[in-house]
């Protein structure tokens, strides 16, 4: 019984590892909504959305550029701006409230932007977009991620801000 429990715990941990790595490596971008908590300072805490330039407007601090930063880097950037003018030792925590959408183009029934959901794959994204059209070339899907293009299978993970392109097949 103990062995079965150990195996189950190991499988659970292995399933969580890719998303734990995603959370640490995730870089903030335009349209991400974040929840900033400055401990003990309710007036400085709140929910913010990154604008098109990757900036947020915070009370007292004005515009802070957080685009392309990890969550830990963004926490440090805010803490550095609060020190020493406002707080002596600020404790800042940031969580992503809503990730920026992903986009799907080409031969799907309803191309457009869709809200990102953790664990989403290309086939799930296509399903959100109403499925492939009869002209879709399902074996040649491409994901544009951080300005680079890469081939994708139906099981490829979708990330916030990705652009999925489904080309037309030529008979």
């Amino acid at each position: 019984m103990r062995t079965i429990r150990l195996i189950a715990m190991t499988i659970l941990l292995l399933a969580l590892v890719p998303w734990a790595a995603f959370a640490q490596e995730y870089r903030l971008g335009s349209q991400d909504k974040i929840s900033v908590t400055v401990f003990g300072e309710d007036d400085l805490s709140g929910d913010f959305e990154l604008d098109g330039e990757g900036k947020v407007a915070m009370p007292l601090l004005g515009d802070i550029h957080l685009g392309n930063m990890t969550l830990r880097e963004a926490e440090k950037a805010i803490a550095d701006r609060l020190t020493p003018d406002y707080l002596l030792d600020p404790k800042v925590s940031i969580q992503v409230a809503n990730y920026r959408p992903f986009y799907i183009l080409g031969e799907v029934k309803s191309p457009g932007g869709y809200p990102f959901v953790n664990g989403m794959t290309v086939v799930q994204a296509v399903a959100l977009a109403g499925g492939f059209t009869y002209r879709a070339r399902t074996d040649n899907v491409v994901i544009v991620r951080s300005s680079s293009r890469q081939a994708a299978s139906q099981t490829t993970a979708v990330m916030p801000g990705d652009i999925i392109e489904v080309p037309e097949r030529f008979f």
Side-chain angles (χ1 to χ4, degrees), residues 62-73:
D63 287 345
I64 300 177
H65 189 272
L66 301 178
N68 205 32
M69 289 186 183
T70 65
L71 297 180
R72 301 307 149 245
E73 292 169 344

Side-chain angles (χ1 to χ4, degrees), residues 45-107:
S45 302
D47 294 333
F48 305 92
E49 182 172 344
L50 276 72
D51 66 13
E53 296 177 4
K55 295 179 182 176
V56 295
M58 291 191 64
L60 294 178
L61 304 179
D63 287 345
I64 300 177
H65 189 272
L66 301 178
N68 205 32
M69 289 186 183
T70 65
L71 297 180
R72 301 307 149 245
E73 292 169 344
E75 289 170 351
K76 184 175 178 344
I78 292 171
D80 288 349
R81 290 278 297 266
L82 289 168
T83 307
D85 296 336
Y86 302 108
L87 299 173
L88 292 177
D89 187 23
K91 303 292 184 217
V92 179
S93 174
I94 297 178
Q95 294 180 338
V96 179
N98 285 329
Y99 292 98
R100 60 188 175 270
F102 72 92
Y103 301 90
I104 186 163
L105 310 170
E107 295 301 322

Side-chain angles (χ1 to χ4, degrees), residues 9-79:
M9 291 293 287
T10 304
I11 291 171
L12 178 63
L13 287 173
L14 288 174
L16 294 176
V17 167
W19 289 108
F22 164 70
Q24 289 178 346
E25 295 176 14
Y26 180 71
R27 297 206 170 263
L28 295 170
S30 176
Q31 296 182 357
D32 278 335
K33 293 178 184 162
I34 59 173
S35 180
V36 178
T37 303
V38 180
F39 294 101
E41 301 294 331
D42 292 339
D43 293 340
L44 297 175
S45 302
D47 294 333
F48 305 92
E49 182 172 344
L50 276 72
D51 66 13
E53 296 177 4
K55 295 179 182 176
V56 295
M58 291 191 64
L60 294 178
L61 304 179
D63 287 345
I64 300 177
H65 189 272
L66 301 178
N68 205 32
M69 289 186 183
T70 65
L71 297 180
R72 301 307 149 245
E73 292 169 344
E75 289 170 351
K76 184 175 178 344
I78 292 171

Side-chain angles (χ1 to χ4, degrees), residues 100-104 143-146 157-164:
R100 60 188 175 270
F102 72 92
Y103 301 90
I104 186 163
I143 290 184
V144 179
R145 180 177 295 157
S146 301
V158 175
M159 301 299 225
D162 279 356
I163 300 171
I164 303 168

